[in-house]
């Protein structure tokens, strides 16, 4: 009798174990979760992923559009060692930025943001967290507001008036017998915009009739060149962004150029910051309308947020304000 009971117990245990093993292999919850995952594009190469696919003669957006026709409005590709989610449907995009906005609030850690963005302190490329939330709040409530833009309206008006007067002076001095004068309007508009933005952000004006000193001209050109390099290098796609373990080779010398540009920009912005602090210490022009850097100093001087000091926060925010405008 005991033998029969032991045999039945062993049989029951074995049967239950077999059922549990089958459930582990064919878990319906896991299968349902896998069905919810976005499909992955086939044909990925080891290490390179789908980079070769995107490096074809076709434009990247056309390649991704063809993949969307094949795999649907949401799919994943491998950019080297990193996985990227591609969305081509406004409803899914809306869900990402509303229901699941915290998941997509951060940005990938890029080589450009590390070298030229004060080690990811620059707004727009900093990781989601206390620092990002605090800086976003300061920027949206104190700097990029309609009230602040209205306060600095006189800057835009005066710059347009000065630029038109300078354009008239150029015409008057260089006009030919027919009453015409050749003017590089591309340069004229770029300098007008640059002066306007720079005055609102740091209270500086580099181009115009008043810029006659060689030192001022050199500073202006150095600033413009550094910002142009910043914008160009942020649009570069270094190999290290896709394959981090090849970063030491610095293919194309992009990281070296980024470090040099970052050094130039930091030197320029640090000089502006020191001038603003000196003016505040001397109580000069206390009644004037504050530019963006003045506001940042008032709000952040002496503070540290998530291990990032005030100078870094001010300089990175000023940089992004100048380049985004």
């Amino acid at each position: 009798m005991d033998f029969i009971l032991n045999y039945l117990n062993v049989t029951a245990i074995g049967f239950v174990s077999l059922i549990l093993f089958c459930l582990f292999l064919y878990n319906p919850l896991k299968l349902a979760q896998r069905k919810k995952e976005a499909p992955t594009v086939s044909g990925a190469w080891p290490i390179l992923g789908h980079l070769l696919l995107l490096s074809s003669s076709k434009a990247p957006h056309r390649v991704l559009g063809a993949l969307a026709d094949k795999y649907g409005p949401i799919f994943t590709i491998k950019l080297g060692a990193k996985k990227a989610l591609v969305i081509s449907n406004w409803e899914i995009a809306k869900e990402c930025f509303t229901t699941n906005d915290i998941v997509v609030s951060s940005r990938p850690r890029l080589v450009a943001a590390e070298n030229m963005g004060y080690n990811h302190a620059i707004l727009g490329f900093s990781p989601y967290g206390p620092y990002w939330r605090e800086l976003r709040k300061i920027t949206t409530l104190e700097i990029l507001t309609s009230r602040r833009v209205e306060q600095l309206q006189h800057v835009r008006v005066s710059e347009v008036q000065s630029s038109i007067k300078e354009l008239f002076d150029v015409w008057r001095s260089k006009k030919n017998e027919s009453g015409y004068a050749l003017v590089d309007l591309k340069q004229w508009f770029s300098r007008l915009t640059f002066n306007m933005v720079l005055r609102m952000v740091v209270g500086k004006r580099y181009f115009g009739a008043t810029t006659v000193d060689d030192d001022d001209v050199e500073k202006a050109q150095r600033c413009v060149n550094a910002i142009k390099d910043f914008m160009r290098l942020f649009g570069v796609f270094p190999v290290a962004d896709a394959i981090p373990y090849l970063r030491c080779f610095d293919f194309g010398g992009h990281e070296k150029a980024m470090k040099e540009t970052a050094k130039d920009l930091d030197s320029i912005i640090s000089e502006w910051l020191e001038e603003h602090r000196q003016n505040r210490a001397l109580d000069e022009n206390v009644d004037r309308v504050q530019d963006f850097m003045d506001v940042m100093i008032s709000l952040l001087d002496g503070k540290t947020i998530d291990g990032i000091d005030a100078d870094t926060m001010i300089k990175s925010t000023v940089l992004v304000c100048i380049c985004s405008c």
Side-chain angles (χ1 to χ4, degrees):
M1 189 67 179
D2 291 338
F3 174 77
I4 295 173
L5 290 175
N6 289 333
Y7 177 77
L8 290 174
N9 288 335
V10 171
T11 304
I13 292 171
F15 184 70
V16 171
S17 299
L18 181 63
I19 292 174
L20 292 175
F21 180 71
C22 291
L23 287 175
F24 175 77
L25 289 179
Y26 303 99
N27 190 342
L29 295 176
K30 283 188 176 181
L31 290 174
Q33 185 177 2
R34 285 179 183 175
K35 288 181 180 179
K36 290 182 180 179
E37 290 183 358
T40 301
V41 175
S42 60
W45 284 58
I47 302 177
L48 297 178
H50 296 96
L51 288 176
L52 293 178
L53 185 66
L54 295 175
S55 65
S56 64
S57 57
K58 291 184 179 179
H61 69 280
R62 294 195 179 277
V63 174
L64 295 176
L67 292 175
D69 293 337
K70 182 178 180 180
Y71 291 94
I74 179 170
F75 58 90
T76 60
I77 59 174
K78 288 197 70 179
L79 299 176
K82 298 182 180 180
K83 199 173 182 180
L85 183 69
V86 182
I87 296 171
S88 59
N89 180 278
W90 72 268
E91 293 176 340
I92 301 175
K94 180 181 178 182
E95 184 178 348
C96 286
F97 288 99
T98 53
T99 308
N100 302 297
D101 58 332
I102 294 179
V103 179
V104 297
S105 292
S106 285
R107 297 291 181 270
R109 299 186 72 83
L110 303 175
V111 173
E114 178 182 334
N115 287 293
M116 299 190 297
Y118 293 93
N119 196 20
H120 303 281
I122 189 169
L123 185 65
F125 294 93
S126 56
Y128 179 79
Y131 171 76
W132 183 88
R133 291 194 298 269
E134 184 65 23
L135 203 60
R136 184 191 64 170
K137 182 175 71 174
I138 291 171
T139 305
T140 54
L141 297 181
E142 298 291 343
I143 298 177
L144 302 178
T145 63
S146 56
R147 177 178 61 86
R148 188 72 60 189
V149 172
E150 288 176 3
Q151 284 181 344
L152 295 171
Q153 182 180 3
H154 70 282
V155 172
R156 301 190 297 277
V157 172
S158 67
E159 280 302 321
V160 171
Q161 290 176 344
S162 298
S163 295
I164 291 175
K165 183 180 181 303
E166 289 166 10
L167 188 62
F168 174 75
D169 292 339
V170 170
W171 170 80
R172 188 171 57 181
S173 62
K174 294 184 178 182
K175 64 180 178 178
N176 56 25
E177 295 177 356
S178 302
Y180 295 102
L182 290 176
V183 178
D184 186 353
L185 285 179
K186 181 180 178 181
Q187 184 185 67
W188 183 80
F189 277 114
S190 65
R191 290 184 173 185
L192 168 62
T193 306
F194 187 75
N195 279 337
M196 199 179 294
V197 171
L198 211 61
R199 278 189 63 189
M200 289 192 293
V201 177
V202 294
K204 288 282 184 181
R205 188 177 195 271
Y206 274 150
F207 294 107
T210 57
T211 310
V212 294
D213 190 83
D214 291 340
D215 188 45
D216 288 341
V217 174
E218 184 182 349
K219 284 182 179 179
Q221 202 57 51
R222 178 185 166 211
C223 181
V224 170
N225 291 339
I227 291 173
K228 283 182 178 179
D229 289 339
F230 176 88
M231 300 294 289
R232 177 180 60 82
L233 290 169
F234 243 108
V236 169
F237 184 64
V239 175
D241 280 341
I243 311 172
Y245 39 84
L246 294 180
R247 182 173 179 178
C248 59
F249 296 102
D250 189 19
F251 294 107
H254 299 308
E255 188 164 3
K256 180 182 178 182
M258 289 175 185
K259 290 178 179 178
E260 291 175 355
T261 301
K263 185 178 179 181
D264 288 341
L265 283 171
D266 183 68
S267 174
I268 293 167
I269 300 175
S270 296
E271 185 180 329
W272 294 340
L273 182 58
E274 185 61 29
E275 286 180 6
H276 277 68
R277 286 211 171 103
Q278 289 177 0
N279 292 337
R280 290 169 64 86
L282 296 172
D283 291 331
E284 290 184 2
N285 301 321
V286 291
D287 296 327
R288 67 180 175 85
V289 177
Q290 292 185 324
D291 54 47
F292 289 178
M293 183 171 273
D294 285 323
V295 176
M296 294 293 293
I297 293 173
S298 300
L299 294 172
L300 295 172
D301 223 9
K303 291 184 179 179
T304 300
I305 302 175
D306 203 20
I308 300 175
D309 61 274
D311 282 11
T312 301
M313 288 187 282
I314 294 168
K315 289 189 287 188
S316 63
T317 307
V318 165
L319 178 60
V320 77
C321 284
I322 292 173
C323 294
S324 61
C325 293

